[in-house]
Amino acid sequence: MFNLILFGPPGSGKGTQSEKLVEKYGLIHLSTGNLLREEIANKTPLGLEAKKFMDQGQLVPDEVVIGMIDSSIEHHKEAPGFLFDGFPRTVAQAQALDKLLALKKSEIDVVLALEVGEEELVSRLLNRGKTSGRSDDSDEKVIRKRFSVYSNETSPVADYYKKAHKFKVIAGEGSVHEIFAALRQAIDVSMAS
Ligand code: AP5
């Protein structure tokens, strides 16, 4: 099994690059943001509860997202590996993920972190907000709140994987094609080691 985390702030290109990477490497794409938006679209109790947090740019409680990842991993028993996008976002989530993967006698192989400046991120998200219908993209205040949540609650996840020597930074500005090439190179090195 090969397991990869695509890490980075809101708007850094995780979703865009994930689509291309899962096609190239045959991994299962697990995006907690997408899973939560599906729950909202289906008006499930979990979705209605999660929406309150997402609309304010806050994190959904750990136990909710860990439960979703647990059932998704179980659902894909024969997976050649997973690409985690937008998860883990807290150290508690990272520790839970390690335990879930250990049960499968597996682990995270590499964490690739997309680095993009804040003003570029704001402009990408406001631009996407014009067409995405995502309530968390249309208000700059909510976008800035997502960044402060990222720096307070999610940045420590980077240290967690740095300590494990699994963390690599990838320049996230430039064309989608150039960034994809840099990610592929890092993945190929990690797969070969
Ligand atoms: P989530 O859905 O994970 O959103 P996010 O992290 O805020 O990330 P985005 O989807 O906004 O950005 P992205 O990095 O995927 O970039 P993208 O490729 O789309 O989370 C949403 C909410 O759900 C959270 O705020 C939280 O409430 C909740 N949540 C989710 N996971 C959770 C968890 N684990 N724990 C707790 N709560 C959780 O690109 C953005 C835009 O830029 C697009 O328009 C794209 O076309 C464009 N773009 C991409 N690449 C480039 C490029 N190279 N140049 C120019 N434009 C580009």
Side-chain angles (χ1 to χ4, degrees):
M1 248 183 151
F2 182 83
N3 299 304
L4 156 73
I5 294 172
L6 206 51
F7 191 78
S12 55
K14 302 182 297 292
T16 304
Q17 296 294 338
S18 291
E19 277 180 30
K20 296 168 73 66
L21 291 170
V22 293
E23 197 186 326
K24 162 90 182 144
Y25 293 100
L27 302 173
I28 300 293
H29 181 199
L30 292 186
S31 154
T32 37
N34 288 350
L35 291 169
L36 289 165
R37 281 185 288 277
E38 268 170 39
E39 297 280 344
I40 293 173
N42 292 331
K43 298 195 169 55
T44 65
L46 188 157
L48 295 176
E49 190 54 29
K51 189 173 186 317
K52 295 182 201 157
F53 295 93
M54 293 167 78
D55 282 350
Q56 291 173 26
Q58 281 168 344
L59 294 183
V60 172
D62 283 340
E63 56 275 19
V64 173
V65 286
I66 292 167
M68 285 191 330
I69 288 289
D70 187 5
S71 28
S72 300
I73 290 176
E74 274 307 307
H75 186 73
H76 294 282
K77 284 199 163 60
E78 305 303 322
F82 294 96
L83 189 167
F84 297 95
D85 160 8
F87 180 92
R89 265 173 144 99
T90 62
V91 171
Q93 290 179 22
Q95 289 165 337
L97 180 59
D98 279 350
K99 285 191 190 142
L100 291 174
L101 290 174
L103 291 173
K104 306 268 159 225
K105 307 217 176 333
S106 191
E107 62 178 331
I108 290 298
D109 290 282
V110 68
V111 180
L112 299 178
L114 293 169
E115 203 168 62
V116 179
E118 186 160 322
E119 292 319 305
E120 165 74 10
L121 294 172
V122 174
S123 117
R124 285 186 191 181
L125 293 176
L126 284 173
N127 198 32
R128 184 176 66 183
K130 290 178 196 156
T131 52
S132 67
R134 272 180 64 166
S135 55
D136 57 349
D137 278 352
S138 44
D139 181 345
E140 188 167 336
K141 254 195 280 169
V142 175
I143 291 176
R144 301 260 179 211
K145 173 70 187 170
R146 285 157 70 194
F147 295 150
S148 81
V149 166
Y150 178 81
S151 91
N152 295 332
E153 299 181 50
T154 305
S155 294
V157 175
D159 298 326
Y160 180 84
Y161 290 109
K162 278 178 197 164
K163 277 187 204 140
H165 306 288
K166 293 182 175 181
F167 192 83
K168 247 185 209 174
V169 173
I170 303 286
E173 293 190 39
S175 74
V176 169
H177 182 77
E178 283 163 350
I179 298 160
F180 181 52
L183 288 168
R184 267 188 357 240
Q185 198 188 19
I187 292 170
D188 291 345
V189 168
S190 172
M191 280 180 162
S193 65

